[in-house]
């Protein structure tokens, strides 16, 4: 059974604080790791797709790292702003052998971030 | 470049009825996935369509069925609606199933 777990479940920070949260996943048959941001009343938006161990990706004040051997990814937000308030979801394509590109994504439950001005 | 469009945005049905939700994928995408998000839950994968066939299926009963058309658009059908089917239904398209998803705004279904 593939479980993608995220922690913490929710987080409240002050504007200007830096924060980070974790996505844990089974490390066997790793294919890729996705991060999405889901703001209230909007569609989920892709942030990163990470594939290589040691990968680090950055988009503005948001960055992510990947450790496929130990099965975790960190998402960092530097200098949080109120507009960063959202649920951050990670997802992993199901580790199905020979599935090629047709794999469903297994989602974590998300980390809900609230940034207070 | 239009993204993923879903219709209707909101609808109310009663138990036992049937519903059809529609999705047009982002231009250039060939794979459509459907997700259900109930309150307080992460997205739950329903199924994925590629080349007009259901390629992957999540843990949903046969009351949930779908279709993909030659133009890559897709429908989600739910029969014999239950109260527990009340949720936000998200459609996402991609080029290939495991690639980055582009989501629609969702269809909010309320079953009374």
């Amino acid at each position: 059974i593939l479980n993608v777990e995220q922690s913490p479940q929710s987080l409240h920070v002050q504007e200007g604080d830096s924060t980070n949260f974790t996505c844990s996943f089974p490390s066997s048959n790793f294919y890729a790791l996705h991060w999405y941001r889901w703001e209230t009343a909007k569609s989920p938006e892709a942030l990163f797709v990470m594939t290589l161990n040691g990968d680090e990706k950055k988009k503005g004040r948001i960055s992510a790292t990947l450790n496929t051997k130990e099965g975790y990814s960190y998402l960092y937000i530097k200098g949080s702003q109120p507009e960063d308030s959202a649920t951050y979801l990670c997802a992993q394509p199901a580790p199905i052998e020979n599935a090629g590109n047709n794999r469903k994504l297994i989602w974590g439950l998300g980390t809900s971030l609230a940034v207070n001005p | 470049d239009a993204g993923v469009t879903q219709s209707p945005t909101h609808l109310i049905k009663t138990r036992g009825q049937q519903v059809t939700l529609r999705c047009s994928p982002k231009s250039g995408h060939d794979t459509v996935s459907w997700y259900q998000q109930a309150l307080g839950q992460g997205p739950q994968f329903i199924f994925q369509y590629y080349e007009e066939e259901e390629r992957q299926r999540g843990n949903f009963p046969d009351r949930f069925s779908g279709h993909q058309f030659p133009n890559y658009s897709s429908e989600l059908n739910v029969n014999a609606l239950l109260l527990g089917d009340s949720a936000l239904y998200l459609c996402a398209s991609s080029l290939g199933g495991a690639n980055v998803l582009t989501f629609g705004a969702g269809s909010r279904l309320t079953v009374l």
Side-chain angles (χ1 to χ4, degrees):
Chain A
I1 297 175
L2 173 58
N3 284 321
V4 176
E5 298 181 351
Q6 293 188 246
S7 62
Q9 184 177 4
S10 65
L11 201 52
H12 289 77
V13 301
Q14 291 298 124
E15 183 176 355
D17 288 349
S18 294
T19 187
N20 66 85
F21 23 92
T22 307
C23 175
S24 302
F25 51 86
S27 54
S28 59
N29 295 317
F30 178 82
Y31 188 81
L33 194 283
H34 296 219
W35 280 101
Y36 291 80
R37 173 172 59 198
W38 196 351
E39 297 177 65
T40 303
K42 295 186 179 180
S43 309
E45 172 197 5
L47 289 173
F48 308 112
V49 177
M50 309 178 79
T51 56
L52 298 175
N53 185 43
D55 229 0
E56 181 170 345
K57 297 208 171 184
K58 190 174 181 181
K59 185 176 183 178
R61 293 177 292 97
I62 304 176
S63 60
T65 60
L66 178 68
N67 184 322
T68 61
K69 294 184 178 180
E70 296 184 34
Y72 65 84
S73 176
Y74 293 140
L75 190 78
Y76 299 92
I77 302 178
K78 183 178 179 181
S80 302
Q81 299 296 309
E83 58 264 31
D84 296 328
S85 298
T87 296
Y88 291 83
L89 293 156
C90 67
Q92 183 183 27
I96 303 170
E97 290 186 12
N98 303 318
N101 217 13
N102 288 302
R103 302 167 187 246
K104 62 183 179 183
L105 289 181
I106 308 298
W107 294 81
L109 294 180
T111 293
S112 176
L113 173 66
V115 182
N116 300 316
Chain B
D1 178 25
V4 177
T5 57
Q6 291 187 243
S7 63
T9 54
H10 294 84
L11 70 167
I12 299 173
K13 293 284 187 177
T14 56
R15 280 179 296 175
Q17 285 190 310
Q18 178 264 345
V19 67
T20 297
L21 308 178
R22 295 176 178 83
C23 173
S24 292
K26 181 178 177 179
S27 177
H29 285 182
D30 59 6
T31 302
V32 172
S33 302
W34 286 91
Y35 292 85
Q36 181 196 66
Q37 197 205 22
L39 199 62
Q41 302 284 326
Q44 297 295 310
F45 176 79
I46 303 175
F47 41 53
Q48 180 187 87
Y49 277 85
Y50 172 71
E51 292 186 337
E52 302 179 50
E53 290 187 7
E54 184 183 292
R55 297 291 180 147
Q56 301 278 347
R57 188 177 182 93
N59 189 25
F60 279 80
D62 292 344
R63 298 186 297 109
F64 288 76
S65 63
H67 191 77
Q68 186 179 35
F69 299 94
N71 66 354
Y72 305 114
S73 67
S74 178
E75 289 182 349
L76 164 65
N77 301 293
V78 187
N79 295 322
L81 284 167
L82 304 174
L83 295 179
D85 295 331
S86 295
L88 180 68
Y89 289 85
L90 290 166
C91 170
S93 71
S94 58
L95 186 61
N99 289 323
V100 64
L101 301 177
T102 300
F103 282 86
S107 294
R108 173 75 62 187
L109 171 64
T110 301
V111 182
L112 302 177

